Amino acid sequence: MEAMDASISNSMAVEPGNSEANAPEVEGFRVRVDEIFQKVDKLEQKVDEIEQFYLNTSKNRPTTSKGSSIVKDKDKERHVPGIRKQKQEASRREKAAEKRMEELMRQLGTILRNLTQHRWARPFLQPVDVKGLGLDDYYEVIDKPMDFSTVKKQMEAKEYKNVREICTDVRLIFKNAMEYNDERSDVHIMAQTLLAKFEEKWLQLLPKVTEEETRREEEEAEAQLDMQLAQEAAHAKMTRDISNELFEVDMHLEELREIVVQKCRKTSTEEKRKLGAALSRLSPDDLSKALEIVAQNNTSFQATAEEVNLDIDAQSESTLWRLKLFVKDAMEIQSKAAASTGGNNDINDHSKNKNNNSSINNRRKREICDAIAKTARKRSKKPSS
């Protein structure tokens, strides 16, 4: 095993020459390899980003019937603006929606002004003077006090997001009064009457409120869908770019591989013989991988055929070097594995013989090794020129 490793390692020596003269060339080669590694690292980060995006997209797709109907109603072939334009459009749409909501609030404000001008509205214009009126139990009965002056201040400060929030507080004004005061009291009757007037006016405004809410919901769903499509388009482009960059990396690696082959000396007949012998000592899995290396540079070679005829002498220098490196690594792994198992090899071999798949692999290994040996014998019988 050590002799074989030494043989393969020695065969990797470059052509004779001045090592000092070759130093700049070697350094340049190393720099190019480092650049490729850095590029591959960046590509890996991009791939992770794309993978994470599609994982999140699959989790966050709309499942409700409303969301599904919106997706179906959209023209799938329509032009979808980029992410930046989507954000600009979302900002424009948000401002337009705010203006429409301000108009609804203005109309509701008109209703409230008319209501506060009613002759019975005076008890509800300002906060209840709990201390002045001696209402010691007021906060025990009323959880959230409310009055028209408070509503007006919050409207001016734009603390309400929509008209429904205002409507809720207006109702609270009258319901608080009805809850704290006896139903036969004047305050209770005044609150009940004004509440009925407010509800009447609110019903007139409600269709516009509902229409705006529906429109807002549809616009938000559409914006979300368009943003998702824009993101998918951006990531699809990123995927294509990554594919092109990977192709360029493969081209650079192939170029470097050819440079290495050109700089290395040619494989001798003895080295080819030792390589063939080393192949016969590989495990079934490693032998299959070695045959795949041969098939990559030889389209006519059938690595998975029932009968394999591997001619070491017919292989290109590139294939031979790849085989040498692969065999060297594989044999080092086998040596470490053998050292770790120690005296248990017989037991392991016995266990492997019980495995049907392992038996098939071993049989195929023998067939391939026999083919290699057969080819070598044929060449040895040829008369030398």
Side-chain angles (χ1 to χ4, degrees):
M1 183 70 73
E2 293 178 358
M4 180 55 60
D5 287 347
S7 173
I8 294 175
S9 299
N10 292 335
S11 69
M12 295 173 62
V14 298
E15 291 179 346
N18 191 334
S19 59
E20 293 183 358
N22 290 333
E25 188 174 8
V26 173
E27 178 63 19
F29 185 85
R30 185 189 65 78
V31 170
R32 291 185 64 182
V33 172
D34 289 342
E35 290 175 351
I36 291 178
F37 271 114
Q38 293 174 5
K39 190 169 187 178
V40 170
D41 288 340
K42 292 180 180 179
L43 290 175
E44 186 177 4
Q45 293 175 1
K46 291 181 180 179
V47 170
D48 291 340
E49 178 184 342
I50 293 173
E51 183 180 9
Q52 191 61 42
F53 168 77
Y54 283 108
L55 285 174
N56 294 335
T57 299
S58 62
K59 293 178 181 178
N60 297 330
R61 286 192 182 278
T63 56
T64 61
S65 58
K66 183 176 293 184
S68 300
S69 64
I70 293 174
V71 173
K72 292 179 181 178
D73 292 341
K74 291 207 150 290
D75 182 7
K76 295 181 180 179
E77 300 299 325
R78 77 189 189 286
H79 172 69
V80 179
I83 295 177
R84 183 177 180 180
K85 289 185 177 180
Q86 287 289 349
K87 291 180 178 179
Q88 293 174 348
E89 177 63 19
S91 178
R92 184 201 63 77
R93 193 161 39 222
E94 183 66 25
K95 290 180 180 178
E98 288 177 359
K99 288 184 178 180
R100 295 195 303 269
M101 185 57 67
E102 287 175 0
E103 175 59 23
L104 288 174
M105 289 186 174
R106 186 192 66 77
Q107 295 181 32
L108 181 58
T110 301
I111 294 174
L112 297 184
R113 279 195 302 274
N114 292 334
L115 195 62
T116 56
Q117 292 173 1
H118 194 279
R119 60 192 179 93
W120 285 357
R122 184 177 178 182
F124 315 108
L125 297 181
Q126 299 296 328
V128 175
D129 185 5
V130 176
K131 186 175 181 180
L133 297 174
L135 308 178
D136 298 334
D137 63 341
Y138 186 80
Y139 294 114
E140 296 178 5
V141 178
I142 303 303
D143 294 329
K144 183 182 178 183
M146 187 56 60
D147 63 279
F148 278 109
S149 67
T150 301
V151 172
K152 182 180 179 181
K153 289 178 182 178
Q154 293 183 173
M155 288 180 66
E156 291 174 349
K158 296 184 178 181
E159 295 182 14
Y160 292 113
K161 296 180 181 178
N162 52 64
V163 292
R164 287 191 182 273
E165 292 182 354
I166 302 175
C167 178
T168 299
D169 278 354
V170 172
R171 287 181 175 134
L172 186 60
I173 295 172
F174 301 123
K175 289 184 177 180
N176 282 348
M178 293 166 63
E179 183 176 357
Y180 187 77
N181 295 277
D182 185 84
E183 61 182 10
R184 291 173 294 182
S185 67
D186 291 341
V187 175
H188 185 104
I189 295 172
M190 293 161 68
Q192 189 175 30
T193 302
L194 292 178
L195 178 59
K197 289 182 177 295
F198 171 74
E199 294 292 357
E200 181 182 352
K201 295 296 182 180
W202 169 252
L203 285 176
Q204 297 175 7
L205 184 63
L206 186 58
K208 294 182 180 180
V209 175
T210 304
E211 180 183 357
E212 173 59 25
E213 290 172 342
T214 302
R215 180 176 178 178
R216 186 68 177 267
E217 186 177 349
E218 289 178 352
E219 286 183 349
E220 289 178 354
E222 183 177 349
Q224 183 179 2
L225 175 62
D226 285 346
M227 179 59 74
Q228 178 179 318
L229 292 176
Q231 290 176 340
E232 288 181 357
H235 282 81
K237 181 180 181 302
M238 189 185 299
T239 302
R240 291 192 298 271
D241 292 342
I242 290 175
S243 178
N244 294 334
E245 291 182 66
L246 285 173
F247 177 76
E248 292 179 2
V249 169
D250 285 340
M251 295 293 291
H252 288 310
L253 287 174
E254 184 62 31
E255 181 182 349
L256 293 176
R257 186 182 298 116
E258 290 303 320
I259 291 175
V260 171
V261 172
Q262 292 172 10
K263 294 296 179 182
C264 294
R265 61 179 175 77
K266 302 298 181 181
T267 307
S268 66
T269 302
E270 178 62 17
E271 290 166 347
K272 291 178 182 179
R273 185 190 67 77
K274 290 181 178 180
L275 177 60
L279 288 170
S280 67
R281 301 176 65 178
L282 292 178
S283 67
D285 289 339
D286 286 339
L287 186 57
S288 297
K289 293 177 182 178
L291 295 179
E292 290 176 2
I293 292 175
V294 176
Q296 287 176 4
N297 289 343
N298 188 351
T299 55
S300 62
F301 181 77
Q302 300 295 325
T304 58
E306 293 184 2
E307 183 177 349
V308 178
N309 188 7
L310 178 59
D311 187 352
I312 293 292
D313 293 329
Q315 305 308 315
S316 66
E317 283 296 321
S318 177
T319 300
L320 290 174
W321 276 102
R322 293 179 66 187
L323 284 174
K324 290 175 187 178
L325 295 173
F326 173 79
V327 170
K328 181 176 181 296
D329 291 340
M331 294 181 71
E332 286 179 354
I333 294 174
Q334 284 186 196
S335 298
K336 292 178 181 179
S340 62
T341 53
N344 294 327
N345 288 336
D346 293 338
I347 298 176
N348 292 336
D349 291 339
H350 179 70
S351 300
K352 289 180 180 178
N353 289 333
K354 293 184 179 180
N355 189 303
N356 186 44
N357 291 333
S358 180
S359 298
I360 294 174
N361 288 336
N362 288 332
R363 184 169 65 251
R364 175 164 176 75
K365 174 185 174 182
R366 288 194 299 272
E367 292 173 354
I368 294 172
C369 293
D370 291 343
I372 295 174
K374 181 179 179 182
T375 304
R377 286 197 300 272
K378 286 181 180 179
R379 289 192 170 273
S380 64
K381 292 179 181 178
K382 289 183 179 181
S384 58
S385 56

